[in-house]
């Protein structure tokens, strides 16, 4: 099985973070390739950035005969509905996957979010994914450093008493272990969650049964 | 990886259906064993049936050191919260898993349900899983035969215009392929959906990262 | 009329609190007996505690021919759906009753809750009872002492501006008067609320009319 | 205990229906007096009818020192918020009481409603009372005759599979027994439900405890 | 086009505030007259105040043949459903109009509210207008002074991260510019919002097309 | 005042329909120009069609210094969030505007929709706009002919008892008068609704006050 992880950002550093996460997660069970876009900014954050990436993302999917599934690896799930529409292969967004898994692990979650400006968009996403009443808090870390991410998650747990944590940015992908071990609540990174869903959906497409 | 699928019913025939589905789905990638209960009726349908099974289900989990994850394979998700509480290993319900995956595949779904009496409980489950506004229709097939299941699903698609179908009983597990090929909308069987989630969550517990 | 108040805890002290409340409330108008369980812990808090009590609770209801209605007197409403199913007599939970009455007395309420861990479960209950958008705050008192309960309720009113207070534990049953007189907002104890509903439903079952 | 049932309509026939119901329900346990308004039409149905009755209704409450509680006995709950505001005694609406009790008896209800025009207002009320996702169907009987009310309720149960029935008009008050016995689902008349709540709230105001 | 702005308060000072706002907004494009009531208090705040004004408000509408539309200029939208019912001309409430426009400008809003007591009523209004999950915060200014209104709005933006501000009192009508320029988020005054809707609806009634 | 109505379709016939509507509605009060796209299909219906139009739509807004506001005149509101983001001038979608106005005119609406396939997307839009519980029915007309549109609206009113009708396609823009006169419920065309909002918001941006 081959999965293409589309990094809608053009930042090679984010690529590396996603690659590290993906390799650890799939652990040889399948191939997970990461490709970033060229025309988008280093960190996609506006609707214009999203529109800018649409063509490239469609191309990656349409020319991706070699892949069995696609992941959109930016926590605003840019162009996700679009990609789902143009292929019959599984396409999974990291916000979608992480919020849905968090919704199975408790009655509330907090999203760790890269900026105050993104809070409103996270709210719109949570509503789109029917998670608005689970989404009880947002915290913005002081930096992308693992300790700061942990401090933000800790504040959410202690102040808003949420049941679990959603890491709301691909750049936080490798902070799940550290946060979970210190906080003792489930911590969901979207890249891992999306890989899990994508792998499963590929298997499911192949092995539906008829008896 | 070894997954224990707990069949809360005591019917060997249901066991067989689940086993067929599980073997097809995991396809050798992991072991999926099916065990049914002894003290419950052939088809669990009341809250008393659920309470009756609680002890045996807890025992299976507690004595299940050999397993990496557990699945509750009855579409009322009996004792799911209880099992999640007593183990740190993944526990997934087939109603939960199928509704959540359906929620990622469209804006509405119908549940194919074994009896008119179960409709109310499906509504309560959908609400519990934050899927109540996606859950737009229920249809009850004339029998467990694949053709009747298909006719019920067809009625839901044509009359209620739902985006996808949730098969609301473990006994329907092997009807997904037939329905999907004829209806051209995604059809979700809970056993496959739960296996997908359970496998993924086991991998995720192992391979969280820290960088 | 005879009502059996089932205390799902095994603590005699909680029994006493409930008995005091019940006697004051029914004031001789009916008999309200309190029985605690034997196999559960002193304070029921986990799903396992709830499962442990299921058999005894069913027995109390099934062998309770002498009673006209049953109350589940723990604010997690353990096994409530189960008991409702096995008898045609009224069964009322104290969480259910207190949240519903609070929902008639204002546009928001806070739950005074015995532990931070219980907040998540209160959220799930509020959702189950269609009260999630009324449920605006939780506060955990420093102890079961009346003054601490009042301080927690006061904080909820002053900080979250809720319209009324739900006492979220059977052990707080006799704190309603004190809190209400000092806070000037309605304060609902579940034992009283459930008694009110149970008495009413017994009367209603008897005196439905046909004209 | 004395309860004043305010009939916001000016129809003596409706008065009689309410009186019959109230006497059967309270069964001597308390006094329940029925008074209709003079300035409103025979059947209150518009917002103007409601506004017309506001003054008289306030007078009845303010001059009602002899009463311990008040009931608004029209299933649009006219001026209910207003009356609740001007007295510290319990005031209960029949729509509010019947919908809340129905919400405790199942996961869905239908309202039997006197006219197609009232459906929209019932939806607004259900939303106000946080019951909008429970409110799954409306049926309008061909007449106020008990057989027609039953036929409407039967259609709701058989076609919409609701768990229980709310009788959506004071004039249907004495149809609960007939419908319930034939349909085997709970049937809620608002007058009885409101009396139950009002009696209980009077007791609760008297017997709050402090220990 | 002539629009009558009904000030449900009897305060001439509020009249002046509304008039200033209306003249600035319509800017000669239509006539906007302001009339206050005589029988209501200076600041309408209770349900009784609302009931008191119903007759006068109906008279203003019924005798208002000269007007093309009506606005209810108190942010509790008193008697709005009533007025909508008795005329086929547009009637717009300032709470309704401002919340709906705020709902188009972002994913969350805060209401600046004249008193802590009004918070509960604002919640009920937001729910009535299907805006309850957008309504994320309330702040009460220290006075009606523009600087205090701004400080309250600032606190809402900085602490609750809302996307926009709803000025929740007719007396705040002329604070929108100051707040918006300093806060850089949309600020909605209900009088302007209602005028915009009323003008538009009058045009729409005239110029519906048939082709 | 000059408003640019962007027709995301490339169909000149749709342009004409919109132009007719716009001229009738603005009636000389402002200029409303209609421009269609060139790169999109005749009738935009897929997410890819939407992505295709993004660049041209951004160009129209960015090069539209001459315009005071923009309208997106396709009832899927394509690229609406994107356009709102890149300009500080008002941008209004016809789905958004018509659903919001319908939400002020009743407690439920039906959408007349050009195809069964679009129903799911209308549900997603209604949810995005916080109108999902108002959106009670969809009907698909047999053709774009006015009589067929009316028959679809009639079926919605008679079968689903909705309070008002939303015309869910720019091509239905001139059917509002015919439907409204025959059905006696409010009928909302999005082009008129969006013009009303756009005009109002332009005025509001100019004439905010500071006193």
């Amino acid at each position: 099985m081959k999965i293409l992880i589309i990094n809608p950002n053009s930042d090679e550093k984010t690529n590396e973070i996603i690659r590290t996460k993906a390799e650890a997660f799939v652990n040889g069970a399948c191939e997970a390739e990461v490709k970033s876009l060229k025309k988008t900014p280093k960190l996609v954050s506006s609707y214009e950035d999203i529109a800018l990436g649409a063509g490239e993302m469609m191309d990656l999917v349409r020319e991706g005969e070699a892949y069995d599934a696609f992941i959109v690896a930016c926590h605003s799930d840019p162009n996700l509905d679009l990609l789902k529409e143009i292929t019959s292969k599984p396409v999974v967004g990291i916000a979608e996957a992480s919020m849905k898994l968090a919704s199975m692990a408790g009655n509330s979650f907090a999203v760790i979010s890269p900026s105050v400006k993104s809070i409103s968009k996270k709210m719109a996403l949570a509503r789109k994914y029917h998670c608005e009443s689970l989404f009880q808090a947002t915290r913005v870390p002081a930096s992308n450093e693992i300790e700061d991410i942990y401090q933000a998650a800790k504040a959410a747990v202690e102040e808003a008493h949420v049941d679990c944590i959603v890491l709301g940015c691909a750049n936080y992908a490798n902070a799940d272990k550290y946060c979970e071990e210190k906080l003792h609540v489930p911590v969901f990174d979207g890249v891992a969650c999306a890989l899990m869903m994508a792998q499963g959906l590929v298997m499911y497409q192949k092995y539906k049964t008829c008896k």
Side-chain angles (χ1 to χ4, degrees), chain A:
Chain A
M1 191 192 308
K2 275 183 82 170
I3 295 173
L4 178 60
I5 304 176
I6 302 173
N7 171 13
N9 309 291
S10 65
D11 189 2
E12 182 50 32
K13 211 175 128 198
T14 306
N15 260 16
E16 265 322 295
I17 291 168
I18 297 171
R19 203 169 282 132
T20 300
K21 185 69 190 181
E23 277 166 18
F25 181 79
V26 302
N27 194 33
C30 77
E31 284 178 73
E33 212 170 316
V34 187
K35 286 187 185 171
S36 59
L37 302 189
K38 299 203 176 82
K39 295 183 188 158
T40 50
K42 289 210 167 182
L43 183 64
V44 163
S45 69
S46 70
Y47 289 113
E48 186 169 6
D49 298 342
I50 292 175
L52 268 175
E56 271 185 279
M57 290 176 82
M58 282 194 280
D59 289 349
L60 284 170
V61 168
R62 286 209 165 111
E63 296 160 8
E65 301 87 359
Y67 301 100
D68 299 289
F70 303 91
I71 285 171
V72 176
C74 166
H75 211 273
S76 59
D77 285 355
N79 298 306
L80 183 63
D81 292 327
L82 169 57
L83 298 192
K84 284 183 176 179
E85 183 189 71
I86 65 169
T87 178
S88 59
K89 295 175 185 169
V91 185
V92 183
I94 67 171
E96 175 188 53
S98 55
M99 287 189 189
K100 291 288 172 181
L101 281 166
S103 79
M104 294 170 68
N107 295 303
S108 61
F109 61 74
V111 179
I112 308 308
S113 196
S115 73
V116 165
K117 273 192 76 166
S118 61
I119 294 177
S120 166
K121 288 177 183 174
K122 298 290 187 208
M123 286 182 61
L125 272 184
R127 179 166 184 79
K128 184 180 174 188
Y129 298 146
H130 297 263
C131 292
E132 74 272 28
S133 68
L134 291 148
F135 180 16
Q136 294 279 321
T138 324
R139 286 298 181 282
V140 179
S143 80
N144 282 2
E145 294 303 312
I146 203 165
E147 182 63 26
D148 285 329
I149 297 167
Y150 160 66
Q151 289 299 338
K154 186 166 174 269
V157 170
E158 290 178 357
E159 292 159 21
H161 305 301
V162 292
D163 286 346
C164 49
I165 294 291
V166 169
L167 298 175
C169 180
N171 285 315
Y172 305 162
N174 298 301
D176 47 7
K177 188 173 187 167
Y178 186 78
C179 294
E180 194 165 295
E181 282 175 0
K182 298 192 87 159
L183 289 172
H184 306 291
V185 301
V187 176
F188 295 97
D189 155 57
V191 178
C193 293
L195 275 165
M196 175 184 330
M197 298 280 198
Q199 282 181 307
L201 287 165
V202 170
M203 295 303 286
Y204 194 29
Q205 285 196 335
K206 265 196 206 151
Y207 298 116
K208 298 224 162 173
T209 48
C210 182
K211 263 214 171 161

